[in-house]
Amino acid sequence: MPKVVDHDRRRVEFIEAAWRTIARTGWDSATMAAIAAEAGFSNGALKPYFATKDDLFAAAFDHIYVQTGRRMAAATAGKHGLTALRACCQEILPLDETTRDEARIVIPFWHKALTSPTLAARHEHAMREWREQLQRYLTEAREAGEVRTPIPDEHIIGHLLTALLGAQITATLMATLETAQTLTAQLDGFLTLLKTVPKD
């Protein structure tokens, strides 16, 4: 009897293999053959799922985005306002081995997206959803009196995303300086400023 293949599961296996390979060796060295071997298959087994390396790369980004979303949902469950905002941001920051590996994939993705409208649109969609989520928690914090700064919400959210995405680069290139402790302290310092009413 022929073996029944779970194609959805196989596809995820290839995506996870791509993730591991790119994080370990970089984009240029992560050939289709190397990714297939990482998953335990021949190069030919990969082709029916992903015709090109770019297709696989885009799927790897989508996978990271979905995984981050799941972590955000779990971390913010039952939380509101600034507590939820902090928990949400922490799931984006590269604070552990998994999220640092994600950063190693996202950085070359950004470079590819500069010349790929399809990849750029994927990133824009992800950022739009993150902005909406951050806005929801920031609105709760304002209504609860936790945030008192007159700085407009759109500027606060823009600053947060700039800092969170920038941390992907700094934590990857300067791992001994930008540690989980320093990144968390930077986030907490910024959130503390939101509680302050500036003096005239």
Side-chain angles (χ1 to χ4, degrees):
M1 179 178 292
K3 183 179 179 181
V4 177
V5 178
D6 184 338
H7 292 288
D8 290 338
R9 181 60 236 169
R10 181 67 56 82
R11 188 174 188 277
V12 171
E13 288 174 355
F14 284 132
I15 291 171
E16 291 177 344
W19 179 8
R20 294 192 301 270
T21 306
I22 295 169
R24 185 175 65 247
T25 68
W27 164 253
D28 291 334
S29 298
T31 63
M32 294 287 273
I35 292 168
E38 175 72 20
F41 298 97
S42 66
N43 191 28
L46 180 55
K47 290 294 184 180
Y49 296 89
F50 301 100
T52 68
K53 186 177 171 183
D54 282 352
D55 291 339
L56 183 51
F57 196 25
F61 174 80
D62 290 344
H63 183 68
I64 289 173
Y65 174 69
V66 170
Q67 291 298 103
T68 303
R70 288 174 179 167
R71 292 198 307 265
M72 285 178 174
T76 58
K79 297 182 176 70
H80 303 280
L82 275 186
T83 300
L85 185 65
R86 180 181 187 273
C88 186
C89 291
Q90 282 191 303
E91 296 307 321
I92 301 173
L93 284 174
L95 301 180
D96 57 27
E97 184 177 352
T98 296
T99 47
R100 283 193 295 272
D101 280 350
E102 290 175 351
R104 294 185 182 99
I105 296 170
V106 169
I107 292 171
F109 176 90
W110 289 334
H111 179 71
K112 294 286 291 182
L114 290 175
T115 55
S116 170
T118 300
L119 296 184
R122 268 182 158 87
H123 187 265
E124 182 179 350
H125 172 76
M127 294 305 100
R128 195 181 304 277
E129 291 201 344
W130 281 4
R131 282 180 179 274
E132 291 174 356
Q133 194 163 355
L134 294 175
Q135 179 64 72
R136 182 165 66 253
Y137 299 136
L138 185 55
T139 297
E140 292 176 352
R142 290 251 191 219
E143 292 174 348
E146 296 177 312
V147 171
R148 304 176 65 196
T149 179
I151 298 173
D153 288 359
E154 62 182 287
H155 295 167
I156 294 172
I157 293 170
H159 180 93
L160 272 173
L161 280 177
T162 298
L164 294 170
L165 299 185
Q168 310 287 319
I169 298 172
T170 58
T172 300
L173 296 179
M174 300 182 293
T176 58
L177 295 177
E178 296 288 21
T179 64
Q181 291 73 26
T182 61
L183 292 174
T184 300
Q186 291 164 18
L187 173 62
D188 287 341
F190 178 73
L191 295 180
T192 297
L193 292 176
L194 301 183
K195 305 175 184 179
T196 305
V197 177
K199 296 180 180 180
D200 295 332

